[in-house]
Amino acid sequence: MRTPLGTAEAMLNAVIDKDVDGVLATFSPADDAYVFVEGPRWTTHGGDRIAEGWRAYFRSPVGITAFRWVEGPFVWESDALAQVCGVIDYDIVGDGKAGRLRMRMTWLVRREDGEWRIVHEHGSQPLEDPYGAGDWWPEGANPLS
């Protein structure tokens, strides 16, 4: 059986391999599954819609060719739920152009029929100035200590 981290990384490797069945094997088909996508939409709700979204992704000119953890991964696990999170650098292609995309990633995984399955995925990036008032972190302070 895959670990929670193994589930998140199996999903990423299936994305790299363009294996939609492999990706969907890591996601919950349940109606309460809910993801925050990195694209122009806000959310996708329900296993059927998530599967539809992944199929559309694989028909598009975008993709991930590699990933590496920049911070983490951090894993918290109970008997039924686990969280995998950290910062990831993705090597990406978009309409024939290669690049790098750094994302804060979080996966909530749940045991379903003895397997860890993703019930929530959240990828985001910091906003430059969300409040229009600059950074509130004191200048010179180390946010990692």
Side-chain angles (χ1 to χ4, degrees):
M1 178 171 63
R2 283 189 306 249
T3 64
L5 175 60
T7 298
E9 290 187 341
M11 186 274 295
L12 293 172
N13 284 313
V15 171
I16 291 166
D17 294 341
K18 299 185 183 310
D19 176 7
V20 70
D21 292 330
V23 170
L24 296 179
T26 64
F27 276 86
S28 172
D31 290 340
D32 64 348
Y34 184 63
V35 300
F36 296 157
V37 296
E38 74 275 7
R41 288 163 286 107
W42 283 83
T43 66
T44 304
H45 193 190
D48 290 345
R49 300 275 300 146
I50 291 168
E52 183 181 331
W54 277 112
R55 288 185 187 98
Y57 176 90
F58 285 114
R59 289 190 300 268
S60 77
V62 302
I64 296 170
T65 59
F67 75 93
R68 71 198 62 54
W69 291 96
V70 176
E71 189 175 295
F74 303 104
V75 180
W76 294 270
E77 184 177 336
S78 72
D79 291 340
L81 288 172
Q83 175 181 277
V84 178
C85 60
V87 177
I88 297 179
D89 273 348
Y90 294 110
D91 293 339
I92 59 165
V93 293
D95 205 16
K97 299 176 202 114
R100 170 119 347 116
L101 178 64
R102 180 167 285 184
M103 299 284 290
R104 300 179 293 204
M105 294 299 304
T106 303
W107 291 273
L108 178 64
V109 295
R110 173 173 67 199
R111 280 194 204 268
E112 295 181 354
D113 299 323
E115 292 289 329
W116 288 107
R117 304 232 186 250
I118 299 166
V119 292
H120 179 66
E121 177 187 40
H122 181 177
S124 65
Q125 295 177 319
L127 297 171
E128 184 176 328
D129 190 3
Y131 299 102
D135 194 352
W136 62 86
W137 195 265
E139 189 173 329
N142 183 354
L144 299 179
S145 54

